[in-house]
Amino acid sequence: MFTINTIIIIITIGVSMICFNNRDLFYRLSLNPYSIRHRNEWWRIITHGLVHADYMHLFINMFVLWSFGRSVLYTFGNLQQSGLLKEPDIAFLLLYLGGMIFSSLPDIVQKKDDYRYNSIGASGAVSAVVFTVIFFAPWSKIYLMGIIPVPSILFGILYLWYSQYMNKRGGDNTNHMAHFWGAIFGLVFPLFIDAKLLLHFLEAVIHIRL
């Protein structure tokens, strides 16, 4: 049986592959703040996460989503057993779509009059999933480049700093602010489930696991 995470991955891969060969659909689904604000094409806030620049862009996002999404669903399952959460799949969908929407807001506000600006990819939503994992397991290991083990909380701090730095530097055609705000949403999302989970996070941070 497919999980909600797997369903999102399958849909995203399917739409992205179609758009690789259909540029009209590619631009129709992309995040274009001008079209959103002046033409009311609000679906773009969601559909841009289904479109990717190339196979490498698609593979990285979907691999990270597959890896970290499983951990989030496992954690949400535990929250369901403890009575804090009723529907893990719905919570995961809200996390993913919420991260996608929240990470898009700065562009929608700042780029609303730039008709040439487009943004694509699920990175904001994927960042939200990654940072929800960091919230629940701040001292678990994340492997940079698949090799170097780094405590997830340290990775999170470096990720936020790097996103801010690269956004100011610019020039690499990557929407680093989407990464940043998606990550922030993922870090805060567990508090919408139960604000008392903040205590869990603080206790987990204090009790360092070597």
Side-chain angles (χ1 to χ4, degrees), residues 130-163:
V130 171
F131 271 70
T132 293
V133 172
I134 293 174
F135 179 95
F136 285 105
W139 294 106
S140 61
K141 296 295 190 295
I142 291 179
Y143 289 83
L144 295 180
M145 298 177 289
I147 300 174
I148 306 172
V150 177
S152 61
I153 191 170
L154 176 59
F155 169 86
I157 293 171
L158 292 174
Y159 185 90
L160 294 175
W161 171 83
Y162 178 79
S163 296

Side-chain angles (χ1 to χ4, degrees), residues 62-153:
M62 294 303 98
F63 179 75
V64 174
L65 178 58
W66 174 76
S67 301
F68 287 83
R70 294 184 302 164
S71 178
V72 170
L73 283 173
Y74 177 80
T75 299
F76 283 0
N78 289 338
L79 293 180
Q80 182 185 39
Q81 293 181 2
S82 64
L84 292 179
L85 186 63
K86 292 183 178 180
E87 298 290 344
D89 286 350
I90 293 178
F92 185 88
L93 187 61
L94 290 175
L95 166 63
Y96 190 79
L97 295 180
M100 191 174 295
I101 294 170
F102 192 74
S103 65
S104 302
L105 295 181
D107 282 343
I108 294 172
V109 173
Q110 298 170 13
K111 307 289 186 178
K112 61 181 173 52
D113 295 320
D114 186 355
Y115 67 90
R116 296 171 298 180
Y117 180 86
N118 290 283
S119 181
I120 55 170
S123 298
V126 173
S127 294
V129 173
V130 171
F131 271 70
T132 293
V133 172
I134 293 174
F135 179 95
F136 285 105
W139 294 106
S140 61
K141 296 295 190 295
I142 291 179
Y143 289 83
L144 295 180
M145 298 177 289
I147 300 174
I148 306 172
V150 177
S152 61
I153 191 170

